């Protein structure tokens, strides 16, 4: 098994010219003191008297999504380019190993702070999701996380539930999960600078916090992507307003600067796409930030030079890049893949005279959370404790498969697991009394894992357990069947590659019987070749009404599918997970397991 390279890629950025005063100013009421235990790591350069500079270690990760156990299949590997140019897949992740990695990295670096870029919870495997992600918050407390931004998935169950994760208290419906134990909540602050209440106009959580140690002060501002309402169910963002990332960060950076906090890190739940999937790809070749694209590039270019580094996320990609700030000086922008498979180690050299970061000395690298290292015993115990509670539900067999059925791990527009899910939804909602659906659509982002043939526990190879099915479909979205005209159906397919999805297409997974050609050599809506769209061999009639099945997220126009939100005559059916499990039970046995479906519905021209 390959391990982290001896010399992981490091990037350095240039210093900006400062005209800052060195005076210490009392921090305002909104700035939270870091949790107990977060300040007891620290030493400076030199001996005896304090040196002018001190190296602060910033450890960061993002998009954990409640993956406490090592992710299975391709979702649990990291691509690594070797010295000879070949690419290998390295198994990685799991909080037992993440805890060991972070604790090892902190040794010899007592000025160390750990931050995250959002989506710590939400779309979680059953071990965490079954308990409304209390196990993950407990694990993050044990990891000594100091601060995180909110991500879009922190809003899956709404602002009230997010506040409970922060402040503690047992679930309002399901109560306390362990006798005599009350959920304590996060001992680190969740930051939501650009999320305000529609009623009060104020941030729903702290907008920023300041980490302090022996006179060293580093401010953290946390934001999620402004487009969160487009990718979360309407109930999750009800009563909330999401603001521009650049304007918000600049506003609070100015406020921190006025308080004498000159060293600032932005935690931004928005990201980019590097030109290579390998975690050790040099995205600064040939020039700063040349190898990365996506929303974070423009955001980074717009954020004030007062901010010294950006920890990002959302796209589940790995990169350590320098992107020019508005003054033209390169600035570090990092992301550590997802699911706890990587962590980023960034050195911020703090100048005690200016209270700012010396940009020329900033260096950063991503590191694999290898499974070759010792497990953290406290995390092993935590996982075992929650697994005992989950076992009666999690281990129940739902079906049998002949081989891996790839979903999250597939990079193709049409995914085998996507076809399986769409077929399950169509079959469950086709009967007249269930909605009379003739076609079903599944959003690709809702497929959270692969179905893996290898056993995850003692169930045996090929067995799909309830826990594994839940990991694939963790949202438990209710299914809707609606009337759409043929014209609306065609418009929805075209919205996969146009309007808000033009730059980053979202290809719907379609049920059997629907076929069309996706021509990626064209641009915009033309990439869906309208005259090739067929349902059960017949061309779509623009004036005809079709009964279409989809989850409630898509039926609300989520992911930029405005046409799907125009449906009428809605019938609410079973949950997506119930339909998925019912399909597995109906179409597989131990003696006749289900094979991966063919991917022949979308003809792709490249």
């Amino acid at each position: 098994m390959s391990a982290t390279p001896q010399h992981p890629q490091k990037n350095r950025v240039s210093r900006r010219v400062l005209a800052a005063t060195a005076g210490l100013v009392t921090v305002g009421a909104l700035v939270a003191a870091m949790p107990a235990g977060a300040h007891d790591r620290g030493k400076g350069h030199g001996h005896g008297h304090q040196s002018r500079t001190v190296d602060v270690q910033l450890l960061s990760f993002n998009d954990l999504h409640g993956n406490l156990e090592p992710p299975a299949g391709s979702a649990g590997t990291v691509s690594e380019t070797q010295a000879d140019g070949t690419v290998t897949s390295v198994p990685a992740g799991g909080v037992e190993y993440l805890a060991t990695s972070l604790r090892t990295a902190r040794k010899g670096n007592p000025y160390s702070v750990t931050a995250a870029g959002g989506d710590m919870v939400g779309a979680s495997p059953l071990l965490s999701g079954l308990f409304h992600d209390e196990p993950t918050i407990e694990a993050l407390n044990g990891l000594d996380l100091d601060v995180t931004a909110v991500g879009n998935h922190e809003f899956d169950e709404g602002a009230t539930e997010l506040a409970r994760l922060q402040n503690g208290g047992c679930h309002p419906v399901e109560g306390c999960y362990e006798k005599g134990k009350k959920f304590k909540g996060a001992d680190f602050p969740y930051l939501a600078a650009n999320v305000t209440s529609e009623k009060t106009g104020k941030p729903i959580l702290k907008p920023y916090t300041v980490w302090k140690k022996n006179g060293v002060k580093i401010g953290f501002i946390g934001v999620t992507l402004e487009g969160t309402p487009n990718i979360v169910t309407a109930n999750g963002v009800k009563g909330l307003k999401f603001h521009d990332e650049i304007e918000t960060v600049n506003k609070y950076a100015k406020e921190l600067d006025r308080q004498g906090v000159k060293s600032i890190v932005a935690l931004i739940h928005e990201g980019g796409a590097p030109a290579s999937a390998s975690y050790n790809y040099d995205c600064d070749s040939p020039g700063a930030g040349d190898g990365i694209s996506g929303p974070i590039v423009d955001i980074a270019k717009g954020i004030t030079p007062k901010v010294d580094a950006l920890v990002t996320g959302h796209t589940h990609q790995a990169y350590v890049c320098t992107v020019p700030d508005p003054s033209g000086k390169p600035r570090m922008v990092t992301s550590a893949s997802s699911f706890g498979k990587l962590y980023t180690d960034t050195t911020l050299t703090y100048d005690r005279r200016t209270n700012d970061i010396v940009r020329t000395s900033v260096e950063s690298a991503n590191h694999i959370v290898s499974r070759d290292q010792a497990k953290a015993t406290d995390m092993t115990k935590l996982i075992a404790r929650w697994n005992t509670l989950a076992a009666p539900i999690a281990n129940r067999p739902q079906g049998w498969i002949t081989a891996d059925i790839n979903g999250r791990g597939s990079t193709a527009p049409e995914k085998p697991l996507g076809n399986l899910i769409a077929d399950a939804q169509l079959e469950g909602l086709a009967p007249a009394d269930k909605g009379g659906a003739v076609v079903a659509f599944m959003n690709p982002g809702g497929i959270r894992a692969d179905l893996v043939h290898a056993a995850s526990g003692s169930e045996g190879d090929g067995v799909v357990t309830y826990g594994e099915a839940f990991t694939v479909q963790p949202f438990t979205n209710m299914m809707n069947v609606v009337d759409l005209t043929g014209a609306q159906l065609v418009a929805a397919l075209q919205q996969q590659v146009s309007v808000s999805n033009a730059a980053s297409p979202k290809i719907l997974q379609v049920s059997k019987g629907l076929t069309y050609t996706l021509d990626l050599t064209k641009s915009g809506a033309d990439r869906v070749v309208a005259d090739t769209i067929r349902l059960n061999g017949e061309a779509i009639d623009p004036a005809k009404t079709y009964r279409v099945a989809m989850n409630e997220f898509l039926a609300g126009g989520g992911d930029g599918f405005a046409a799907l939100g125009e449906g009428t005559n809605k019938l609410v059916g079973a949950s997506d997970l119930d339909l998925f499990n019912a399909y597995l039970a109906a179409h597989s046995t131990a003696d006749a397991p289900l094979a991966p479906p063919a991917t022949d519905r979308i003809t792709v021209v490249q």
Side-chain angles (χ1 to χ4, degrees), residues 322-374:
T322 53
V323 178
D325 69 18
S327 70
K329 299 292 191 295
R331 175 171 52 193
M332 196 64 70
V333 179
T334 71
S335 175
S337 184
S338 63
F339 300 171
K341 293 180 292 188
L342 297 175
Y343 71 93
T344 313
D345 189 337
T346 303
T347 300
L348 302 173
T349 298
Y350 185 92
D351 187 327
R352 292 183 182 276
R353 184 175 300 173
T354 64
N355 293 335
D356 207 349
I357 301 302
V358 183
R359 289 255 208 118
T360 51
S361 68
V362 175
E363 56 182 45
S364 185
N366 274 327
H367 300 268
I368 297 178
V369 176
S370 168
R371 298 181 195 169
D372 286 341
Q373 61 190 318

Side-chain angles (χ1 to χ4, degrees), residues 4-321:
T4 307
Q6 293 261 323
H7 304 288
Q9 172 212 341
K10 288 191 175 183
N11 277 327
R12 291 176 171 83
V13 296
S14 301
R15 183 184 186 183
R16 75 170 188 272
V17 177
L18 290 169
T21 59
L24 298 180
V25 181
T26 302
V27 179
L30 277 174
V31 180
M34 297 309 299
H39 311 304
D40 56 4
R41 306 188 280 266
K43 69 178 181 181
H45 292 169
H47 304 277
H49 297 291
Q50 283 187 333
S51 62
R52 173 169 171 172
T53 63
V54 58
D55 281 350
V56 178
Q57 178 189 54
L58 171 62
L59 300 176
S60 58
F61 57 97
N62 51 276
D63 295 276
L64 181 64
H65 290 286
N67 279 264
L68 302 182
E69 296 177 295
S74 59
T77 62
V78 171
S79 295
E80 176 183 270
T81 299
Q82 307 301 311
D84 63 1
T86 60
V87 178
T88 59
S89 291
V90 183
V95 295
E96 295 160 295
Y97 303 110
L98 179 59
T100 298
S101 289
L102 294 176
R103 290 164 186 172
T104 301
R106 290 174 187 140
K107 291 178 181 177
N109 295 282
Y111 274 91
S112 185
V113 57
T114 303
D119 276 7
M120 295 295 97
V121 301
S124 305
L126 184 128
L127 176 61
S128 186
L130 186 65
F131 305 106
H132 296 277
D133 283 311
E134 290 181 20
T136 296
I137 298 298
E138 185 180 324
L140 292 170
N141 288 344
L143 289 175
D144 290 325
L145 181 64
D146 289 312
V147 59
T148 184
V150 294
N152 54 288
H153 282 283
E154 262 84 18
F155 295 94
D156 284 346
E157 295 189 51
T160 301
E161 174 62 6
L162 173 56
R164 187 183 76 89
L165 293 181
Q166 176 72 86
N167 300 319
C170 297
H171 192 270
V173 176
E174 298 179 28
C176 300
Y177 295 110
E178 296 176 288
K179 189 175 181 180
K181 284 189 177 182
K182 182 180 179 182
F183 175 56
K184 295 180 180 179
D187 64 11
F188 53 89
Y190 261 110
L191 304 181
N194 68 329
V195 187
T196 59
S197 164
E198 289 181 348
K199 288 184 179 179
T200 67
K202 296 179 180 179
I204 62 167
L205 293 169
K206 296 179 189 300
Y208 59 80
T209 192
V210 178
W211 178 86
K212 302 176 186 178
K213 177 70 179 183
N214 295 338
V216 173
K217 300 189 298 183
I218 299 180
F220 289 88
I221 303 167
V223 297
T224 187
L225 69 157
E226 184 182 9
T228 291
N230 299 323
I231 53 177
V232 174
T233 56
N235 284 338
V237 294
K238 188 175 181 181
L240 305 178
K241 190 170 182 180
F242 292 77
H243 302 269
D244 181 82
E245 304 94 336
I246 298 173
E247 292 176 4
T248 302
V249 172
N250 288 353
K251 170 186 173 182
Y252 288 110
K254 188 175 181 180
E255 189 169 314
L256 283 167
D257 183 71
R258 285 200 305 266
Q259 295 171 355
V261 180
K262 307 297 183 181
S263 299
I264 302 172
V265 175
L267 308 175
I268 303 175
H269 191 71
E270 178 61 288
S276 167
S278 291
Y279 89 97
N280 54 344
Y281 164 70
D282 182 4
C283 56
D284 278 350
S285 179
D290 284 349
I292 187 172
S293 60
I296 198 60
V297 177
D298 287 337
I299 291 173
K301 289 179 178 177
I303 285 179
T304 172
K306 294 180 189 297
V307 173
D308 299 292
L310 279 61
V311 172
T312 72
H314 187 55
T315 58
H316 291 202
Q317 301 297 307
Y319 47 84
V320 176
C321 303

